[in-house]
Amino acid sequence: MRTLPAKVQTAIHVATLARKAGLPIPAKVLPILEEAAAPWPAEWLLAPLPGDPIRVVELFAGPGGWSEGIAAVLGVAVDSVGVDISPDACATAIKAGHRRICADITTLDPEHIALRHTAAVIISPPCPTFSPAGKLSGLEARNVEILCDAISYVGEAAGFLPMEEIFDYHDADDFDEDGNCPCVPGEGCMAPFAPRSGATWDEVREMAAGVSDPRIALMLEVVIWPIALQAAGAPIRWMAMEQSSNLPEQILEDLACEFSCAEWFYTNHEVMEAADYGLPSRRKRVYMIASRTYAPTVTRRIRPLRTTTMAQALGWAPGERVNTRGNRPVDPKTGRAKGGNSFSADGPSWCLTGKSRTWKRESDGYRLTTAEAGLLVGFRRSYPWQGSRTSAFQQAADVVSPVMAAIVLSGMFGALGEALVRDYLAQLYDMDDMTSRDEYELAT
């Protein structure tokens, strides 16, 4: 972690005394703290006081899926700041009450002094290079190889390469006549880890620059940020990640290996389908968690829930169908358009994409509103989507559902996830049977 100038240390001391007295940060030191902490909040330079919520960094945070899952579904208070490159997604999240920094994540320092009290990292790298909706370049063998080589170097750059993997730490002249080296327990070759390699995080990122699509390399941030924070001495406890269910197993295994080598106690990943957990749209994603201290499972307290149909969620009559790609030639054998361009609203909708803005109800040509798009992925109707219609639909297509966020994180927060998710869904879709006594028994 970077060393603080004396002026900043004094400002932190003054501000901390004010906080302990229940007072705001004094105006005379606030500019000093803001300059030192930028782009992060000035108050993050101060140590949390007893009872303060944990500090969470959200990367590729988007319009607020993880944030809403924590606050609106689980009802947990956290001190969170999200980072995203999209001005519209940041504007949406800010309008909804979530803090955002609009920036390219790869330009930020994961060991910034303002992050020294960070307890958790949540990260959702872009998925088009791995998703069937994209070009699948992230699945190409050469791209996977380049990415995994870079992932495997993160621990070495952070100082978490196990010493047992270093076979040439000493020269022959270092040993005495009895073959003993000069190191004492805990130091040199008897330390648990080799010293940091000296590579900067920009240099580590450069190792993945050879991939065919730069978005593939953003998967590297999944391990850079948590382990860099650990190396800098932050009290990092856990990490949560979301990505396309197509993410190659080799990448997941290499991520888990780096966390394990850095002595993280537990890692786990699961592929989960949103429609299995009460959401009225399909979205299959892989979720990964890593913890330094304990072993919650992703779905520890959540069981699959009753299906919610698109028609139920939107208040449509039964029997409606949705056209997704306009008028196409009809297959005489089936009587339906060729290319599979329609589906029944009497089940969960297809996975939303940016092009869902053109979907229309076949009976009358009605098109989804941005509020309805958000509703299909688990946001309240009043969620304040910002930007153009095209931008808002793309945000809804890319976002992590608040429901899935709550399910994944319920074990990390020790929350009664199933009860809270059921209550949220019942209120969101007006489905009283979601909390009926006959089926409402908490999983243990």
Side-chain angles (χ1 to χ4, degrees):
M1 196 67 74
R2 311 297 184 253
T3 302
L4 287 167
K7 181 173 70 172
V8 178
Q9 293 184 37
T10 300
I12 290 174
H13 178 68
V14 171
T16 300
L17 291 176
R19 276 213 64 206
K20 289 181 177 179
L23 300 173
I25 296 175
K28 65 180 181 180
V29 300
L30 184 57
I32 299 172
L33 298 177
E34 288 177 335
E35 181 181 1
W40 305 97
E43 64 269 22
W44 273 26
L45 287 172
L46 281 59
L49 297 180
D52 282 352
I54 66 168
R55 293 180 187 171
V56 180
V57 171
E58 296 182 49
L59 303 175
F60 308 103
W66 290 102
S67 306
E68 283 287 295
I70 295 169
V73 185
L74 296 179
V76 175
V78 297
D79 188 359
S80 175
V81 175
V83 183
D84 200 275
I85 200 170
S86 165
D88 285 346
C90 288
T92 297
I94 292 169
K95 190 74 172 179
H98 307 300
R99 289 195 289 186
R100 287 292 181 271
I101 296 169
C102 195
D104 178 350
I105 288 163
T106 63
T107 66
L108 301 182
D109 178 9
E111 296 187 56
H112 193 293
I113 193 67
L115 302 178
R116 58 182 177 162
H117 302 294
T118 302
V121 173
I122 298 172
I123 184 166
S124 297
C127 68
T129 56
F130 299 103
S131 169
K135 296 183 178 180
L136 300 177
S137 57
L139 307 185
E140 295 173 7
R142 179 56 181 160
N143 287 331
V144 172
E145 179 184 5
I146 292 172
L147 176 61
C148 287
D149 283 348
I151 289 173
S152 67
Y153 186 69
V154 169
E156 187 172 348
F160 295 113
L161 178 67
M163 184 58 72
E164 61 194 36
E165 296 185 19
I166 305 296
F167 300 104
D168 56 353
Y169 187 85
H170 289 293
D171 294 328
D173 295 339
D174 291 340
F175 296 92
D176 63 22
E177 58 184 17
D178 296 322
N180 298 314
C181 72
C183 299
V184 298
E187 297 180 5
C189 69
M190 296 187 182
F193 299 109
R196 298 184 71 159
S197 68
T200 67
W201 293 118
D202 285 341
E203 289 171 338
V204 175
R205 288 164 174 146
E206 187 63 26
M207 292 180 64
V211 295
S212 62
D213 187 319
R215 292 174 296 181
I216 299 170
L218 294 177
M219 277 299 300
L220 189 57
E221 305 300 318
V222 173
V223 68
I224 282 180
W225 281 75
I227 289 187
L229 286 166
Q230 178 186 1
I236 183 78
R237 302 179 194 171
W238 53 265
M239 179 282 306
M241 179 210 75
E242 175 262 359
Q243 182 52 277
S244 166
S245 58
N246 264 4
L247 188 67
E249 191 70 22
Q250 181 182 345
I251 296 175
L252 288 163
E253 290 176 355
D254 281 11
L255 289 171
C257 181
E258 286 304 288
F259 284 116
S260 177
C261 287
E263 295 188 340
W264 285 56
F265 181 73
Y266 181 79
T267 60
N268 181 48
H269 68 272
E270 292 184 25
V271 173
M272 300 168 68
E273 165 59 66
D276 292 340
Y277 293 90
L279 284 161
S281 64
R282 298 192 178 281
R283 180 171 299 186
K284 185 180 289 187
R285 294 288 186 268
V286 63
Y287 297 89
M288 182 179 196
I289 57 174
S291 170
R292 291 182 67 191
T293 55
Y294 59 101
T297 60
V298 170
T299 56
R300 174 175 157 191
R301 296 177 183 171
I302 311 288
R303 300 168 300 176
L305 305 176
R306 179 173 296 183
T307 299
T308 305
T309 72
M310 181 181 187
Q312 287 172 326
L314 301 182
W316 292 1
E320 295 284 1
R321 294 190 65 82
V322 178
N323 181 289
T324 64
R325 291 191 289 172
N327 295 323
R328 291 178 175 265
V330 175
D331 187 333
K333 295 182 179 179
T334 64
R336 295 182 178 177
K338 295 180 179 180
N341 72 326
S342 71
F343 64 88
S344 171
D346 292 332
S349 85
W350 288 356
C351 181
L352 269 68
T353 69
K355 294 182 179 180
S356 298
R357 67 186 184 279
T358 65
W359 289 4
K360 58 185 179 182
R361 194 163 53 193
E362 288 188 347
S363 64
D364 58 5
Y366 176 82
R367 290 193 173 184
L368 295 176
T369 65
T370 54
E372 289 170 332
L375 190 64
L376 290 176
V377 294
F379 286 81
R380 63 184 188 273
R381 282 184 181 270
S382 60
Y383 203 71
W385 302 98
Q386 302 294 296
S388 66
R389 176 179 169 85
T390 297
S391 175
F393 269 82
Q394 190 62 58
Q395 292 173 55
D398 293 339
V399 74
V400 174
S401 167
V403 171
M404 300 309 295
I407 288 170
V408 172
L409 296 179
S410 62
M412 309 309 294
F413 288 112
L416 291 174
E418 184 169 339
L420 297 168
V421 167
R422 283 178 177 268
D423 288 346
Y424 180 81
L425 290 170
Q427 294 178 51
L428 198 63
Y429 304 124
D430 295 323
M431 297 177 65
D432 292 336
D433 59 349
M434 188 68 72
T435 56
S436 65
R437 286 185 174 275
D438 290 341
E439 295 188 8
Y440 192 26
E441 295 178 3
L442 292 180
T444 57

